[in-house]
Amino acid sequence: MADHHRLRHRKGLVVLYLGGAVALVPWISYLYLVQAPRGLAHNVAWLTGGLLALIAAGAVSTAALWFFDSPAWMVGASLTASLAFATAWFHLSAPSHTHSTAVTIRTFVVLGLPLALFAWALSVWLAQPRGEKGSLALGFAYVVAGVLLALGAARFVSFAPPTEAVFHLRLMWCGLDVFEAVGMALTGWFLHTRSRHVVVAAAATGALLLADAWSNVTATTSTAREAALAMAVVEVSLAVLSVVVAVTVAFEAHRMHLGRRSTPAMAASSSGAAHQ
């Protein structure tokens, strides 16, 4: 049977992801030493509002992929959940103390929707082949989540200050980079072992890199703009590569699954023809 991972230059991708995970270790150590513990976040409306808009777009895209029965629907689910996780991590690890308790609770409830839906989607994906039962419910749930997230983004932008003081920046940035390193290591390992779980790991890694790049572009001070933009270019490139890898493996795994499912029927047909 043909291998369902027909990615070209697989060994190169394994080296890239595992090497990138290793390379992040000294960077995280350096960042931990030089990062100021507190500072000012700039363009707060663009930073958080933009992330919420990206999550909303991911939720709606996941619903569309699900309704059209695209093998890439799990890529969208993982991407959306990981963007929500990164946004929640920003709020949890570096609180600004300017938002009321009610606003904070609403924020985490809205951000919890993609994570709860991902748990549902993951259980369905692991139980492949999926049945028709519940398919409409999951798709419509993603549509509702997308609408709520879009409304949340618009609401946040309406009252967000231009700048705000944030704390625990060392924890926030180093923690996000640790998550990226773990995601890259898992992606490389799953590529090496030819596991279909690379679909989830690569999409999650891409989402974390995308959130990191977006924060570098929007919230960085003018004195560090050039370095932040250069880093953002690298992160976006790796994010795009991760999504491409995830989508490619999803389609190849889907084709392999169809081949396996058709094999018994073909064998039975051949056996019947032989008896005739």
Side-chain angles (χ1 to χ4, degrees), residues 98-203:
T98 60
H99 298 154
S100 66
T101 302
V103 170
T104 301
I105 291 174
R106 286 200 302 268
T107 299
F108 280 104
V109 168
V110 171
L111 290 175
L113 285 175
L115 296 172
L117 289 177
F118 175 71
W120 181 4
L122 184 62
S123 66
V124 173
W125 184 73
L126 291 174
Q128 290 282 9
R130 79 166 193 256
E132 292 300 322
K133 183 179 180 181
S135 60
L136 290 179
L138 180 57
F140 281 120
Y142 267 106
V143 172
V144 172
V147 171
L148 292 176
L149 285 159
L151 292 174
R155 174 61 178 162
F156 184 87
V157 168
S158 66
F159 67 77
T163 61
E164 63 181 9
V166 289
F167 305 89
H168 312 303
L169 288 175
R170 184 180 292 117
L171 173 63
M172 182 185 76
W173 291 120
C174 292
L176 184 62
D177 286 343
V178 167
F179 297 138
E180 292 171 3
V182 172
M184 294 183 74
L186 287 175
T187 301
W189 176 251
F190 289 145
L191 281 169
H192 174 68
T193 58
R194 293 177 167 83
S195 169
R196 70 173 183 143
H197 292 86
V198 70
V199 172
V200 176

Side-chain angles (χ1 to χ4, degrees), residues 201-214:
T205 302
L208 295 174
L209 289 165
L210 186 60
D212 199 347
W214 179 254

Side-chain angles (χ1 to χ4, degrees), residues 42-63:
H42 300 264
N43 305 311
V44 176
W46 281 101
L47 174 61
T48 304
L51 285 173
L52 289 173
L54 285 174
I55 302 168
V60 174
S61 299
T62 302

